[in-house]
Amino acid sequence: RICLMPPKKGKGKGVKKSKKDDKVADEVPIADEEDFDRELEKGADGNSADAGDVNGNEELPIVPKTMVTDFCTLDKCGKRHDVPGLPGKYVTYEQYTSEEQLPRIMELMTADLSEPYSIFTYRYFINNWPDLCISLVLHDKEDASLQRTIGAIVCKLDYHKANNSQERCIRGYIAMLAVEKEYRGHGLGSTLARYAIETMVLKNCDEVVLETEITNSGALRLYQNLGFAKDKRLQRYYLNGVDAFRLKLWLSPLVT
């Protein structure tokens, strides 16, 4: 379980939203934090506002992390995992390597998520952060040719400016997570999230955030069990008019 640093208490007021240009920005405008996050999530033009910053174009600060290492280690990614409750089957967790994986990932997400996303949204995340796109592949123990992807997680990692602060932190963002209904209840979604978070930690991530519908009790339970806390409520966040909770996982004592 992750050791969290408590967030700084505030008044919890919402951020005033404004329209954004489609051009690439160098930094996140502080006053438009929520709009910027949503624009990146939608991927309207397929560009990254800070794409590349955490991929080698700027040296990352060395930030001490306070966490207990009970995550699945990355050296097991791609190796066989037997799953209690799935006799005759096993799973592997595979980082994204080819465009051939994209149609199945899109199919999984489209069937499970609240809103549709264009192929440009997927490519924005996957092409910039392929190591943060992890697929869950089911195998048959008797026939090695029988395998299919039954889950996936898609994330990103960027510099971020918090409100009323001139300092930047490194923020991970879980954009999409889905597991086929037939295979839920075996901890597979949690393991996908753990792999992604561990990869972020190795890149000096300070915090991880995501949004989920306030009515999605399964997702809320999954992330809260991983140490996420409710950070704010976003009114009518989704196209269907449902509110969302922004959940946050603090990984560094330097982030408040």
Side-chain angles (χ1 to χ4, degrees):
R1 185 172 295 277
I2 300 168
C3 300
L4 298 178
M5 298 300 298
K8 179 184 288 185
K9 295 182 179 179
K11 296 182 179 180
K13 293 183 178 179
V15 178
K16 184 178 180 180
K17 296 187 176 182
S18 62
K19 295 182 179 179
K20 304 295 299 178
D21 296 329
D22 286 337
K23 63 182 180 179
V24 177
D26 291 329
E27 294 184 347
V28 180
I30 295 176
D32 298 321
E33 174 193 352
E34 290 177 10
D35 268 357
F36 185 82
D37 285 347
R38 288 211 63 185
E39 183 176 321
L40 290 187
E41 184 181 354
K42 299 301 180 188
D45 58 5
N47 291 325
S48 166
D50 286 315
D53 274 0
V54 293
N55 293 323
N57 292 344
E58 183 173 337
E59 186 176 354
L60 298 181
I62 303 300
V63 181
K65 300 294 179 288
T66 54
M67 60 184 298
V68 178
T69 56
D70 69 342
F71 285 109
C72 298
T73 57
L74 288 175
D75 60 3
K76 293 183 180 179
C77 197
K79 297 184 179 180
R80 172 173 170 163
H81 296 256
D82 292 318
V83 181
L86 294 178
K89 309 289 184 182
Y90 69 93
V91 298
T92 57
Y93 297 86
E94 311 284 348
Q95 290 180 318
Y96 185 85
T97 57
S98 169
E99 182 87 0
E100 295 177 355
Q101 298 168 266
L102 183 54
R104 178 56 179 158
I105 293 174
M106 292 180 62
E107 182 181 2
L108 283 166
M109 300 303 177
T110 301
D112 201 52
L113 299 183
S114 304
E115 299 179 355
Y117 297 96
S118 73
I119 191 171
F120 301 106
T121 302
Y122 291 94
R123 284 177 174 161
Y124 159 72
F125 285 103
I126 292 172
N127 291 340
N128 283 303
W129 300 276
D131 54 340
L132 293 178
C133 174
I134 303 171
S135 296
L136 171 65
V137 183
L138 181 71
H139 302 260
D140 189 284
K141 292 182 179 180
E142 301 298 329
D143 188 347
S145 66
L146 296 178
Q147 62 180 57
R148 68 189 182 96
T149 301
I150 61 170
I153 188 169
V154 177
C155 312
K156 75 182 183 77
L157 194 66
D158 263 340
Y159 281 110
H160 170 77
K161 272 189 177 180
N163 289 334
N164 303 319
S165 173
Q166 295 302 314
E167 294 187 4
R168 295 194 299 176
C169 69
I170 301 176
R171 169 181 278 191
Y173 180 69
I174 298 178
M176 312 172 204
L177 171 62
V179 174
E180 280 190 4
K181 290 183 179 180
E182 180 182 354
Y183 299 102
R184 294 175 187 173
H186 300 285
L188 302 176
S190 296
T191 304
L192 277 170
R194 288 170 182 270
Y195 272 126
I197 294 169
E198 181 179 324
T199 306
M200 295 176 191
V201 170
L202 293 176
K203 295 188 174 189
N204 295 316
C205 180
D206 297 305
E207 63 183 27
V208 184
V209 300
L210 61 98
E211 292 88 25
T212 188
E213 289 184 346
I214 63 171
T215 56
N216 192 339
S217 58
L220 290 169
R221 183 168 56 252
L222 183 153
Y223 289 115
Q224 288 174 334
N225 287 339
L226 290 173
F228 284 80
K230 294 176 183 176
D231 185 46
K232 63 178 69 174
R233 181 167 178 159
L234 307 175
Q235 302 291 332
R236 301 180 63 84
Y237 184 78
Y238 294 102
L239 293 177
N240 59 9
V242 175
D243 293 357
F245 282 126
R246 173 166 291 170
L247 306 181
K248 185 178 289 189
L249 175 67
W250 286 268
L251 297 171
S252 170
L254 301 182
V255 179
T256 57

